Amino acid sequence: MKTLVLADHDNQTLKDATLAVVTAAAKLGDVHVLVAGSNCEAVANQAAQVAGVSLVLLAEDAAYEHELAENVAPLIVNLMGDRDAFLAPSTSTGKNVAPRVAALLDVMQISDILSVESDDTFTRPIYAGNAIATVQSSDAKKVITVRGTAFAKAEKTGGSAQVEKIGTTGDAGLSSFVGAELSKSERPELTSAKIIVSGGRALQNGENFHALIEPLADKLKAAVGASRAAVDAGYVPNDYQVGQTGKIVAPEVYIAVGISGAIQHLAGMKDSKTIIAINKDEDAPIFQVADIGLVGDLFKLVPELTEKLPG
Amino acid sequence: MKILVPVKRVIDYNVKPRVKADGTGVDLANVKMSMNPFDEIAVEEAIRLKEKGAATEIVAVSVGPAKAQETLRTALAMGADRAILIQTDDEVEPLAVAKLLAKVAEEEQPGLVILGKQAIDDDSNQTGQMLAALMNRPQGTFASKVEVSGDTVNVTREVDGGLETITLKTPAIITTDLRLNEPRYASLPNIMKAKSKPLATKAPADYGVDTAARLKTLKVVEPAKRSAGVKVADVDELITKLTSLGVVA
């Protein structure tokens, strides 16, 4: 079986999300990676080094710079003639492009897979992760998005794939990019961080969030996350949100501070290896999933914890 | 400009779903059902565009069982003008829903189709993108801001690193993210009025769409349970635990 993986990148660096997709694709067969972008040869060279990749296809066109689905999907469809599966990460890029590809190929997409059971059978979460479905596809070609936290990341080095430049399909003329406002952060990226410190509504305002959560995160070299309540209340931007509708994370350690643990939030973090909860309400649902719980006032406990941590 | 708003009847978002003991699915008998939360946001956005004068008519459409009428009446009570129910008791996958919606759009010729970004039952996040592909129209997914001007629409999208804005030529397909708006509640007089608004009932066969499933669900199980945790008494004990986990040197 030949597979095609869509590389997630920013035209300079291959994003880690792609590495987990390579692992999933390798379970199905030969892994080809598509790097579509503008002036992105560096990304193709990085992809060629990834262990398990046998071919990198490089499609450079100004029309691909921002991965607009209208422009990228026809390119992918053209490449699917002799390939059997298309896999993309469950990132905002993958989720935007893959269903468009699936419909153009007239196949049902399998979203956000957790495991590959066989060439046509996969598991995926439904109902905010409250149930795991095993599904078998009857389509000739598979279109799949992959949950990054469910697969080990392929090694970034050790591979020596050939990079092949391919023709482009140009601009579909349906959409154009205007601009982006990206959050700037020195901290590790949320979806790939080993440790995450997350804050909820109990922090009361943005000042408290910055004053309490961020110093703790910095001391632990952790990424900062938030519940939907904290995002909706404007304490932090919405790309911090962990949950069914935000990011899905599975770090080594997830520290939930002042988060009650609604099912939509748990959907985004309950696969973390160790969950630590700090909450004053000892009946909060978060304690049902927490490995280590500390009941008490976060305004007292968090500064004390930050202070006493070495380093 | 006409706006088409697809809505889905799903398990209420506050209900904790229970997996059936025989592993065939999630138990939906006697469970509270509601409009998918992202679809409420889609209806609200359509109404706001109409209130601003950017839209003239709002048509709500749903694919589902007879009870999906209730979901459509909710959309009508919020402010939609008329509704179409494509009635079927089968579970219809996003690809087939997109094909049905493409046929409805062919008939209705909407300037915008606004959908929720995902349904909270199957968590697929596909239908809007598939509809856009089938209609060969641009897509503005995960929208947190929508501005119509002339024959283009600017959509600000929630992406992994922050926000990005794109311009789409209308007709276009938009899918809503949570922060697009705060949906209104239907008032009692509007709920009463909604009962007399037109609601057409159709079948998938009327549109010539084959809704046979491409994916077969072999089994549905509960996720692995986490083992019970421990409570620590104070910060010092927590730090000891963190040290034993190797988080703290």
Side-chain angles (χ1 to χ4, degrees):
Chain A
M1 206 168 167
K2 273 195 213 167
T3 70
L4 183 68
V5 166
L6 177 67
D8 203 349
H9 64 87
D10 58 5
N11 292 306
Q12 282 141 32
T13 315
L14 182 71
K15 289 195 185 160
D16 275 3
T18 317
L19 302 174
V21 186
V22 168
T23 303
K27 289 178 193 283
L28 293 169
D30 206 14
V31 183
H32 298 175
V33 173
L34 169 64
V35 176
S38 174
N39 296 318
C40 57
E41 200 163 344
V43 180
N45 292 333
Q46 290 161 31
Q49 308 272 309
V50 173
V53 175
S54 65
L55 177 66
V56 175
L57 303 169
L58 172 62
E60 290 189 297
D61 193 318
Y64 303 145
E65 186 175 357
H66 303 287
E67 308 269 348
L68 292 170
E70 297 80 0
N71 298 345
V72 177
L75 172 72
I76 296 165
V77 170
N78 283 350
L79 295 171
M80 288 306 289
D82 64 343
R83 295 186 176 86
D84 313 288
F86 170 69
L87 294 92
S90 288
T91 55
S92 47
T93 302
K95 290 189 284 193
N96 188 43
V97 172
R100 193 163 177 117
V101 172
L104 293 174
L105 294 170
D106 191 31
V107 308
M108 231 330 265
Q109 175 180 303
I110 308 139
S111 293
D112 216 18
I113 62 162
L114 302 172
S115 72
V116 175
E117 302 293 308
S118 72
D119 280 1
D120 63 0
T121 306
F122 309 88
T123 64
R124 58 175 306 263
I126 52 175
Y127 292 88
N130 283 292
I132 310 295
T134 305
V135 295
Q136 184 175 35
S137 166
S138 60
D139 285 316
K141 293 185 192 293
K142 319 293 182 230
V143 174
I144 295 165
T145 59
V146 176
R147 177 171 291 198
T149 57
F151 293 86
K153 292 188 179 87
E155 293 295 331
K156 278 186 182 170
T157 54
S160 55
Q162 198 192 332
V163 176
E164 182 186 322
K165 288 201 180 183
I166 56 168
T168 66
T169 48
D171 195 329
L174 295 168
S175 58
S176 55
F177 179 83
V178 178
E181 259 178 74
L182 300 180
S183 304
K184 289 198 171 52
S185 174
E186 302 288 303
R187 298 191 184 86
E189 202 203 350
L190 199 48
T191 48
S192 55
K194 286 203 163 58
I195 307 173
I196 295 174
V197 180
S198 244
R201 196 203 308 267
L203 285 149
Q204 294 173 354
N205 57 48
E207 289 77 57
N208 290 341
F209 198 102
H210 297 304
L212 294 171
I213 299 296
E214 290 175 0
L216 176 59
D218 290 342
K219 211 144 184 192
L220 292 166
K221 297 187 178 57
V224 174
S227 69
R228 183 182 166 199
V231 170
D232 280 352
Y235 306 171
V236 285
N238 51 38
D239 49 305
Y240 282 56
Q241 188 185 323
V242 172
Q244 184 184 20
T245 58
K247 294 199 170 75
I248 312 284
V249 299
E252 299 277 318
V253 178
Y254 188 89
I255 306 181
V257 178
I259 292 176
S260 65
I263 53 176
Q264 291 81 5
H265 186 75
L266 299 183
M269 47 62 83
K270 67 181 176 185
D271 293 325
S272 306
K273 205 159 168 210
T274 301
I275 298 173
I276 298 172
I278 301 177
N279 204 302
K280 69 176 176 191
D281 174 10
E282 62 180 311
D283 296 323
I286 191 79
F287 287 119
Q288 289 164 21
V289 300
D291 301 281
I292 303 170
L294 178 57
V295 179
D297 182 6
L298 70 93
F299 291 100
K300 194 175 123 306
L301 296 173
V302 173
E304 187 187 341
L305 177 60
T306 308
E307 162 89 43
K308 285 185 175 170
L309 281 171
Chain B
M1 178 176 75
K2 195 189 282 185
I3 301 182
L4 188 66
V5 189
V7 295
K8 185 177 185 183
R9 178 176 184 263
V10 298
I11 190 168
D12 189 84
Y13 73 99
N14 276 316
V15 175
K16 183 161 165 55
R18 279 178 204 287
V19 174
K20 285 192 217 167
D22 63 0
T24 55
V26 165
D27 193 358
L28 296 176
N30 304 314
V31 169
K32 187 184 176 201
M33 305 290 277
S34 307
M35 188 190 296
N36 180 43
F38 292 101
D39 302 347
E40 286 186 347
I41 295 169
V43 175
E44 175 67 33
E45 195 63 19
I47 298 165
R48 289 187 190 190
L49 288 169
K50 192 179 169 193
E51 285 168 349
K52 274 189 232 164
T56 47
E57 192 189 22
I58 301 166
V59 182
V61 54
S62 191
V63 180
K67 281 197 168 165
Q69 278 199 27
E70 293 164 15
T71 310
L72 288 168
R73 291 289 172 204
T74 305
L76 294 170
M78 286 173 74
D81 297 293
R82 59 189 172 87
I84 302 166
L85 172 63
I86 304 172
Q87 195 175 321
T88 168
D89 286 324
D90 298 336
E91 262 189 53
V92 185
E93 291 170 344
L95 180 63
V97 172
K99 287 179 181 177
L100 288 166
L101 294 174
K103 295 281 185 189
V104 174
E106 217 171 88
E107 275 177 18
E108 299 282 348
Q109 294 290 322
L112 285 179
V113 185
I114 309 181
L115 306 86
K117 80 163 177 183
Q118 78 191 60
I120 61 165
D121 52 0
D122 63 18
D123 282 333
S124 289
N125 195 332
Q126 300 174 8
T127 309
Q129 295 90 316
M130 287 181 156
L131 176 62
L134 296 173
M135 295 173 66
N136 192 27
R137 295 298 178 195
Q139 65 189 50
T141 51
F142 327 142
S144 61
K145 195 172 164 198
V146 173
E147 285 175 314
V148 178
S149 63
D151 57 0
T152 63
V153 53
N154 271 6
V155 178
T156 300
R157 307 177 55 227
E158 296 200 5
V159 293
D160 286 339
L163 299 170
E164 83 172 28
T165 304
I166 54 175
T167 300
L168 312 176
K169 282 189 185 157
T170 54
I173 287 55
I174 291 170
T175 75
T176 64
D177 216 319
L178 277 175
R179 267 156 296 270
L180 181 57
N181 61 48
E182 187 99 20
R184 69 193 63 190
Y185 289 102
S187 66
L188 189 58
N190 284 342
I191 292 171
M192 299 310 289
K193 260 188 253 167
K195 289 183 180 172
S196 56
K197 287 186 180 176
L199 192 159
T201 303
K202 303 267 193 179
D206 296 340
Y207 298 98
V209 171
D210 175 13
T211 58
R214 308 286 188 89
L215 299 181
K216 187 174 163 195
T217 301
L218 301 180
K219 66 173 178 198
V220 176
V221 297
E222 277 192 31
K225 285 235 178 358
R226 296 187 70 96
S227 51
V230 292
K231 290 228 170 93
V232 292
D234 54 30
V235 166
D236 294 322
E237 209 185 317
L238 177 58
I239 291 176
T240 310
K241 288 273 184 194
L242 287 171
T243 311
S244 68
L245 286 169
V247 175
V248 182

